[in-house]
Amino acid sequence: EADIYQTPRYLVIGTGKKITLECSQTMGHDKMYWYQQDPGMELHLIHYSYGVNSTEKGDLSSESTVSRIRTEHFPLTLESARPSHTSQYLCASTGQGGSGNTIYFGEGSWLTVV
Amino acid sequence: GNSVTQMEGPVTLSEEAFLTINCTYTATGYPSLFWYVQYPGEGLQLLLKATKADDKGSNKGFEATYRKETTSFHLEKGSVQVSDSAVYFCALKDNYGQNFVFGPGTRLSVLP
């Protein structure tokens, strides 16, 4: 079982609020990812990081930002939430070498902006 | 670029029916192939994988064979259960890129 944790699991906030979704992994993985997914639908990569102080935008444009100050921690921030940001956000990670050949996911953070 | 195509869902089966979910891919070289499963309200979990041609991945009664000649990795199970109801994602990782490519997912509903 993967050791990757996301908080909060569920969040309802008002428009214009700032929110941070937390993601931590205890596997020492270098690579971490954020995906956006509508329920049961396609995954869209919005951010990824190959290590500390490395962050890149993914295939889907997103108004969110990320940081990678510590290997184990990869938070995602929305400065001003809007209803269009309502979605599930999945954090994931992979390691080096053989362990880099499997991607592990957290349980997801469900965000609703009202 | 790399891509993964899956059969469209939803797929609805009766309990104990045979399941096939088709997956084909486009990639350079010899990618590793995966099936992930997502139960309602959860993240994705690795179901099985295969890292080279003709390898068969298997887990929990599911299996898939890496077919390079047809660039396919179809998921099969001989007798599905209600608890198998979920969304199934086919994915690949090539030997050159750093990121994974996922298919659009196929929703499976198994009726008692």
Side-chain angles (χ1 to χ4, degrees):
Chain A
E1 194 165 314
D3 295 322
I4 180 164
Y5 307 100
Q6 291 186 237
T7 57
R9 289 292 316 279
Y10 304 94
L11 180 64
V12 180
I13 62 168
T15 297
K17 298 292 187 183
K18 176 181 178 179
I19 62 124
T20 296
L21 304 179
E22 302 288 350
C23 176
S24 294
Q25 49 93 6
T26 58
M27 298 172 283
H29 285 172
D30 291 325
K31 302 180 185 64
M32 297 188 72
Y33 310 83
W34 276 103
Y35 291 86
Q36 185 175 342
Q37 182 194 30
D38 290 332
M41 303 296 285
E42 199 167 348
L43 296 168
H44 296 286
L45 180 65
I46 53 175
H47 297 284
Y48 59 97
S49 167
Y50 291 158
V52 171
N53 294 326
S54 152
T55 61
E56 301 287 344
K57 290 189 177 296
D59 306 321
L60 180 69
S61 175
S62 173
E63 295 168 346
S64 58
T65 59
V66 292
S67 62
R68 189 86 184 278
I69 299 172
R70 303 197 315 266
T71 297
E72 63 272 22
H73 194 213
F74 191 41
L76 180 146
T77 298
L78 276 166
E79 291 291 335
S80 179
R82 296 191 279 114
S84 61
H85 297 137
T86 294
S87 189
Q88 179 177 214
Y89 294 84
L90 291 168
C91 183
S93 71
T94 64
Q96 296 280 27
S99 67
N101 209 27
T102 301
I103 185 168
Y104 298 93
F105 285 85
E107 292 193 324
S109 293
W110 288 88
L111 174 64
T112 302
V113 183
V114 298
Chain B
N2 297 338
S3 66
V4 174
T5 303
Q6 291 180 233
M7 65 187 289
E8 285 192 28
V11 174
T12 303
L13 297 173
S14 297
E15 205 163 24
E16 299 183 4
F18 184 85
L19 168 71
T20 300
I21 300 178
N22 290 339
C23 171
T24 57
Y25 67 89
T26 302
T28 52
Y30 299 88
S32 295
L33 303 174
F34 307 82
W35 278 101
Y36 280 81
V37 58
Q38 185 179 33
Y39 298 104
E42 298 183 8
L44 278 69
Q45 303 173 26
L46 177 66
L47 180 59
L48 53 85
K49 70 178 182 181
T51 57
K52 60 183 188 295
D54 299 325
D55 267 2
K56 177 185 285 188
S58 62
N59 186 26
K60 300 181 181 180
F62 291 89
E63 56 183 37
T65 301
Y66 189 138
R67 301 285 189 203
K68 183 151 181 70
E69 64 275 14
T70 54
T71 62
S72 65
F73 193 54
H74 305 321
L75 182 68
E76 296 183 335
K77 186 175 186 182
S79 176
V80 293
Q81 306 300 311
V82 172
S83 57
D84 293 327
S85 298
V87 181
Y88 292 82
F89 291 89
C90 186
L92 71 82
K93 181 176 183 290
D94 69 26
N95 294 328
Y96 310 102
Q98 302 273 15
N99 295 339
F100 288 71
V101 176
F102 288 86
T106 302
R107 182 179 298 277
L108 170 66
S109 295
V110 181
L111 305 178

